[in-house]
Amino acid sequence: MCSMAETGEQLHVAFFPFMTPGHSIPMLDLVRLFVARGVKTTVFTTPLNAPDISKYLNIRASTNNNDLATSVYITPFPSIKAGLPEGVESQDRTTSPEMSLKFFLAMELLKHPLEQFLKDTKPNCLIADNFFPYATDVAKMFDIPRVVFQSTGCFSMCVMMALSQHQPQNSVASDNDFFIIPNLPHEIKLTKSQLQPDHKGSDDEMNASLSRLFGGVGRALFTSYGIIFNSFTRLESEYVDYFNNVVRKPSRVWHLGPVSLCNRQVEGKSIRGKSSSINENICLKWLNDRKPNSVIYVSFGSLTCFSASQLREIAIALECFGRDFIWVLRGGENVEEWLPKGFEERVKSKGLIIRGWAPQVLILDHEVIGGFVTHCGWNSILESISAGVPMVTWPVYAEQFYNEKLVADVLKVGVKVGSMHWSDTSSGTFLEHEKIGDALKEVMDGEGMLEMRERAKKLKEMAYEAVEEGGSSYCQLSSLIDQLSSSKNGI
């Protein structure tokens, strides 16, 4: 059979991002990488998500125009069927665990619209987020490969698989006792309290639904055509080998990151994701007035929700620390309820508070940022590594406690703040301002600070090398495109 290159037919890849910033933004970065290689792309999404996607991809917010080299296919969001209010078309807009469950139900209801999308657009491949396990079966209906876009790193996947296989957590008596995960390249210690609760067999509707979802996610990893990781080989090389040799055989795995490095210009960094709550020129002016490595950046992503008392402790810690800082607050947080009286007036010469969406890559890439307090979401970790910035790690839920181990124990570019309890609500580990302040001092002024910054700088160099022509991520993207182009169906 002739290849697509031989027949002159353009490869057409469809993308199905999960609708929350932490998942959709890196997938859209991936779209841009495919477009830069001359691949035709179509993104499957819903009405309220389409404008931001179109803006970032620099295309007109068209409706299902399959003639464009890059287009957005819009399908109605099943709000009513899922029991959601109008306007909640992204997980970061949910306000309770119950609403979040309904949002996942809405994602399941997109199965039939996905079938119609593939029927209408006739792509050669579907790249779908790992949270859409049914995408593998839908793609098979149209005899095209489904590639999983994995929103976590390879390290955390290896930890999850080792925990599932060996279950060392069952060997300890207390939730707070440490256990070692066997057979991994490094000695990785966790406690039961840092693991996501097991809800198998639960009678609770929400927990049972999530258990089914994650079970489907795991199966899809082994039944799909292959897996894309937003990572690069040298960052977690021993775990790349472990995953390829132990977890998934035969391996069709591509490490194409850091995908955020497709943004090299100020405009691309500032429009990435949602519209920023601060003008990029104002943000840059504030940064330009500071000295190198003097500013601590604090952001916990789009989903983390701390209690008012915990936010107050963070505010006190930043003020007592006395260094310049940027603090990003979620748009829905009512600061009047918890912010210490007179705080903003007292820190106005040193602190920049951003309410809502922040241009994180733009900020982290600036030379004045000396440390990043993060919830250990994978995107934030990669963006910090790509900027050469050491981290204060404050994991909360999902795979974030695993990511912390990679950052602090394996790569040694992070300081643990002391979070010990997994929680998808605001009831995780409560940390007082003194403990937060100790971590800030260690990452900015500690005895090992210079060595940590040097290691972070080397990782940054590796990240850039990976995505440049001839680098590992660049070559693996070439290999993936070649494989998908090798026959009509890419199989």
Side-chain angles (χ1 to χ4, degrees):
M1 181 180 292
C2 294
S3 70
M4 298 181 74
E6 291 170 332
T7 61
E9 183 181 352
Q10 185 181 23
L11 177 66
H12 179 197
V13 178
F15 292 83
F16 186 13
F18 185 76
M19 296 161 194
T20 197
H23 288 241
S24 61
I25 291 173
M27 183 174 278
L28 295 177
D29 287 336
L30 187 65
V31 172
R32 294 184 64 180
L33 291 174
F34 272 82
V35 171
R37 300 294 190 94
V39 177
K40 180 178 179 179
T41 62
T42 306
V43 181
F44 178 66
T45 192
T46 62
L48 293 184
N49 291 293
D52 283 336
I53 292 174
S54 299
K55 181 180 180 182
Y56 183 50
L57 297 179
N58 195 28
I59 57 176
R60 180 168 49 86
S62 57
T63 305
N64 311 341
N65 187 345
N66 199 37
D67 295 328
L68 297 175
T70 304
S71 60
V72 175
Y73 183 105
I74 302 172
T75 194
F77 190 85
S79 301
I80 296 176
K81 286 186 179 180
L84 286 168
E86 292 290 334
V88 180
E89 294 188 16
S90 181
Q91 191 188 8
D92 62 314
R93 291 185 175 272
T94 62
T95 57
S96 67
E98 292 73 25
M99 189 181 289
S100 185
L101 171 63
K102 292 177 181 179
F103 182 80
F104 278 101
L105 173 61
M107 295 298 96
E108 293 180 10
L109 294 174
L110 289 175
K111 180 177 180 180
H112 293 303
L114 178 64
E115 294 174 9
Q116 188 63 47
F117 164 64
L118 296 181
K119 182 179 180 181
D120 291 345
T121 57
K122 299 177 175 61
N124 306 108
C125 171
L126 172 64
I127 297 178
D129 189 276
N130 61 305
F131 273 3
F132 296 117
Y134 59 76
T136 300
D137 294 332
V138 173
K140 286 179 180 176
M141 294 170 56
F142 296 89
D143 200 24
I144 63 172
R146 182 270 173 109
V147 178
V148 175
F149 182 73
Q150 182 60 42
S151 57
T152 63
C154 192
F155 173 87
S156 63
M157 284 300 301
C158 293
V159 171
M160 285 185 235
M161 296 299 180
L163 284 170
S164 177
Q165 180 181 359
H166 303 291
Q167 305 212 357
Q169 61 271 32
N170 295 335
S171 66
V172 293
S174 167
D175 286 354
N176 298 317
D177 290 339
F178 281 96
F179 58 84
I180 298 174
I181 305 173
N183 297 341
L184 292 179
H186 296 85
E187 184 177 275
I188 304 300
K189 295 181 179 180
L190 289 166
T191 66
K192 276 187 178 181
S193 65
Q194 295 173 318
L195 304 183
Q196 182 172 357
D198 184 357
H199 298 299
K200 290 181 180 178
S202 173
D203 294 330
D204 179 85
E205 181 185 3
M206 180 174 69
N207 290 332
S209 297
L210 291 178
S211 180
R212 288 194 300 272
L213 168 68
F214 290 119
V217 167
R219 287 189 296 274
L221 288 174
F222 297 95
T223 58
S224 65
Y225 179 75
I227 306 169
I228 292 173
F229 281 103
N230 177 20
S231 185
F232 59 100
T233 304
R234 292 181 69 188
L235 178 66
E236 39 186 359
S237 58
E238 292 165 291
Y239 295 89
V240 171
D241 292 340
Y242 180 94
F243 190 85
N244 290 340
N245 296 324
V246 178
V247 177
R248 194 183 196 277
K249 299 180 183 180
S251 297
R252 281 201 196 100
V253 181
W254 301 274
H255 299 265
L256 306 183
V259 295
S260 62
L261 290 181
C262 70
N263 302 281
R264 302 294 180 92
Q265 306 301 320
V266 169
E267 182 182 5
K269 295 174 185 178
S270 61
I271 67 171
R272 185 171 179 262
K274 298 183 179 182
S275 297
S276 177
S277 301
I278 186 171
N279 180 277
E280 65 266 23
N281 293 323
I282 295 174
C283 188
L284 282 172
K285 184 180 184 305
W286 190 93
L287 289 165
N288 290 338
D289 288 340
R290 269 70 193 172
K291 296 179 180 179
N293 297 318
S294 67
V295 178
I296 190 81
Y297 174 62
V298 184
S299 178
F300 298 100
S302 57
L303 294 178
T304 304
C305 182
F306 282 131
S307 65
S309 56
Q310 184 63 85
L311 291 168
R312 181 180 176 84
E313 292 298 310
I314 296 171
I316 296 171
L318 289 171
E319 183 174 3
C320 291
F321 186 44
R323 300 283 289 270
D324 292 345
F325 67 88
I326 296 177
W327 187 9
V328 182
L329 298 172
R330 293 184 66 192
E333 287 167 341
N334 186 2
V335 298
E336 286 75 19
E337 293 181 357
W338 53 265
L339 201 65
K341 187 176 181 180
F343 173 83
E344 290 187 89
E345 178 64 26
R346 291 193 301 273
V347 303
K348 65 179 181 181
S349 64
K350 288 186 169 291
L352 177 63
I353 298 176
I354 300 176
R355 293 173 172 83
W357 191 258
Q360 181 159 294
V361 170
L362 181 73
I363 293 169
L364 285 171
D365 278 348
H366 202 285
E367 65 176 358
V368 304
I369 302 298
F372 176 19
V373 183
T374 173
H375 65 307
C376 296
W378 185 243
N379 293 319
S380 290
I381 285 174
L382 269 188
E383 289 158 14
S384 193
I385 285 171
S386 299
V389 175
M391 289 162 263
V392 171
T393 58
W394 191 331
V396 181
Y397 57 90
E399 86 292 352
Q400 294 163 13
F401 284 94
Y402 311 154
N403 293 340
E404 177 184 56
K405 297 297 179 180
L406 176 67
V407 170
D409 296 342
V410 178
L411 301 175
K412 300 186 186 303
V413 290
V415 174
K416 299 175 186 177
V417 75
S419 179
M420 293 297 295
H421 296 90
W422 195 103
S423 177
D424 57 1
T425 67
S426 60
S427 60
T429 304
F430 181 82
L431 296 169
E432 295 182 344
H433 65 269
E434 294 91 348
K435 194 162 189 178
I436 301 168
D438 288 343
L440 296 178
K441 291 173 186 175
E442 187 174 351
V443 81
M444 296 294 283
D445 305 307
E447 184 178 342
M449 175 265 295
L450 292 177
E451 292 83 357
M452 190 181 301
R453 284 187 181 163
E454 187 61 30
R455 286 191 290 269
K457 180 181 177 182
K458 289 179 179 178
L459 288 174
K460 175 182 178 179
E461 293 170 355
M462 291 179 190
Y464 274 82
E465 288 172 1
V467 300
E468 298 292 350
E469 187 170 355
S472 61
S473 296
Y474 184 96
C475 291
Q476 288 186 49
L477 178 56
S478 298
S479 175
L480 172 57
I481 291 172
D482 287 345
Q483 289 183 52
L484 296 178
S485 301
S486 63
S487 67
K488 183 178 179 180
N489 294 321
I491 298 175

